[in-house]
Amino acid sequence: MELAYIPSPSRGVLYLGPIPLRGYAFCIIIGVFVAVWLGNKRWVARGGRPGTVADIAVWAVPFGLVGGRLYHVITDYELYFSPGRDWVDAFKVWEGGLGIWGAIALGALGAWIGARRRGVAMPAYADAVAPGIAFAQAIGRWGNWFNQELYGHETHLPWALHITSSEGGRVPGYYHPTFLYESLWCVGVGFLVIWADRRFKLGHGRAFALYVAAYCTGRAWIEYMRVDDAHHILGVRLNVWTAVVVFLLAVTYLVLSARRRPGRETVVEPGASDDPGDGEAEADAGDGEAGAETEPEGKDEARVDVTKPDKAEKAEPASEPDAEAGIKDTADSGKKG
């Protein structure tokens, strides 16, 4: 008997009359709200309009849900299309099964459509929402806890996850809570992106690339711990290969982007009024104001030297009274002679 462990909920759905309230769905919804809220704050701090992030999210979120479900169904097709299975279950998103790789890929397509409609550069938008996406993933992983899924090998550690359900081939017991490991990792990734973005002024999509690379690093080792059925290539789980490939692509983009387009965008949304009194924009505005204060002084000095030479010339004799007196004496003696 385990003295300490993480209990699983007795059920993942509650009923409000005929309406089912599913823990998995609530975690996804809360994650989306957190991502949009934080993304909006970061967007406004960069000089964008309030509400732009939410407007684009109207396109990105549905695309992301479809993409996440498609990736899961394609990579685990035997759960829905093998003998004895009901293909209608492929549409039951609330029962779990969203692949983050498909969600990010198709969600990015939806965001691109929304960004074009608003006249916003996609890389700048991706940088603004990157840490929020990481936090949304951290929250969404708790939906797997409600469904008693995505756990690792058996363990007797104090934080072992107690699986009580025997549905879907589960064996009740105590396992590594890989959902919790990934949730904590995503929280760390979110804070890493926020810190790096402030420290290095990441722009042109590099904050988003850092999020992708950091997430893939954690996902690769967490994936090794999972015991759920998965396709293998050369003895390695498919999602591990996916994490490695996406990690390399993200790092490549980071390096090439830093060389070709260093620095950060000065304008993220054309026509938006800048408010340098908040967040990151305050620091950026402070630098700009300091530069603006020093520049006019130089211009004023140049204006004095160029446009008012007479005053400068008149000021010079005033500093030499002896010479002026000598000229007057000479003139007087000339008159007398």
Side-chain angles (χ1 to χ4, degrees):
M1 178 179 179
E2 296 290 331
L3 297 178
Y5 58 85
I6 300 174
S8 291
S10 57
R11 54 181 176 172
V13 57
L14 298 175
Y15 287 90
L16 185 62
I19 303 175
L21 304 176
R22 302 182 183 276
Y24 185 90
F26 271 109
C27 290
I28 298 297
I29 293 171
I30 294 172
V32 170
F33 273 105
V34 169
V36 172
W37 170 79
L38 181 58
N40 181 71
K41 288 194 66 174
R42 287 171 52 81
W43 183 254
V44 172
R46 290 281 303 275
R49 290 190 178 95
T52 296
V53 169
D55 291 343
I56 298 177
V58 170
W59 289 87
V61 172
F63 272 73
L65 291 175
V66 173
R69 189 60 176 177
L70 280 175
Y71 182 89
H72 168 73
V73 172
I74 291 173
T75 55
D76 292 302
Y77 60 88
E78 66 279 357
L79 299 177
Y80 308 100
F81 302 105
S82 59
R85 299 284 186 170
D86 188 358
W87 63 271
V88 177
D89 293 340
F91 297 95
K92 297 179 180 179
V93 181
W94 54 88
E95 293 184 353
L98 291 175
I100 185 61
W101 314 112
I104 294 297
L106 216 56
L109 175 60
W112 177 78
I113 295 173
R116 281 184 61 87
R117 292 171 62 90
R118 289 298 298 259
V120 170
M122 182 61 186
Y125 178 82
D127 285 340
V129 300
I133 294 176
F135 293 138
Q137 287 180 250
I139 298 170
R141 275 305 177 207
W142 282 89
N144 302 126
W145 175 68
F146 281 101
N147 288 351
Q148 295 199 36
E149 58 187 2
L150 299 190
Y151 47 88
H153 297 283
E154 191 173 3
T155 182
H156 299 286
L157 292 170
W159 55 85
L161 175 65
H162 187 199
I163 297 297
T164 58
S165 173
S166 57
E167 296 180 3
R170 298 184 184 93
V171 178
Y174 301 89
Y175 301 91
H176 277 286
T178 53
F179 84 91
L180 177 60
Y181 298 160
E182 186 168 340
S183 178
L184 294 175
W185 182 268
C186 287
V187 170
V189 170
F191 283 116
L192 170 66
V193 174
I194 291 175
W195 170 82
D197 193 28
R198 291 178 177 176
R199 174 67 177 80
F200 302 105
K201 302 296 181 183
L202 301 176
H204 303 287
R206 288 190 287 276
F208 185 81
L210 175 62
Y211 145 72
V212 172
Y215 171 74
C216 289
T217 302
R219 179 60 185 269
W221 68 265
I222 294 172
E223 191 72 23
Y224 266 115
M225 303 179 68
R226 288 169 52 171
V227 295
D228 53 306
D229 294 332
H231 294 284
H232 289 71
I233 299 176
L234 300 178
V236 179
R237 291 171 67 99
L238 174 61
N239 282 332
V240 175
W241 285 110
T242 305
V244 171
V245 172
V246 176
F247 170 82
L248 293 176
L249 291 175
V251 172
T252 301
Y253 179 86
L254 270 171
V255 174
L256 295 180
S257 176
R259 291 179 179 178
R260 295 179 180 180
R261 306 188 72 182
R264 175 187 282 180
E265 301 93 337
T266 55
V267 177
V268 296
E269 187 170 4
S273 58
D274 296 329
D275 183 9
D278 186 19
E280 297 171 323
E282 186 175 7
D284 295 340
D287 296 339
E289 289 172 2
E293 291 175 0
T294 56
E295 186 177 355
E297 291 178 4
K299 290 183 178 179
D300 292 339
E301 292 175 3
R303 201 173 287 121
V304 170
D305 294 340
V306 175
T307 61
K308 298 180 180 180
D310 295 335
K311 291 184 178 181
E313 291 175 359
K314 292 176 180 179
E316 291 178 1
S319 61
E320 298 178 1
D322 296 339
E324 186 175 351
I327 294 174
K328 288 182 178 180
D329 294 341
T330 305
D332 292 342
S333 61
K335 288 180 181 179
K336 291 179 181 180

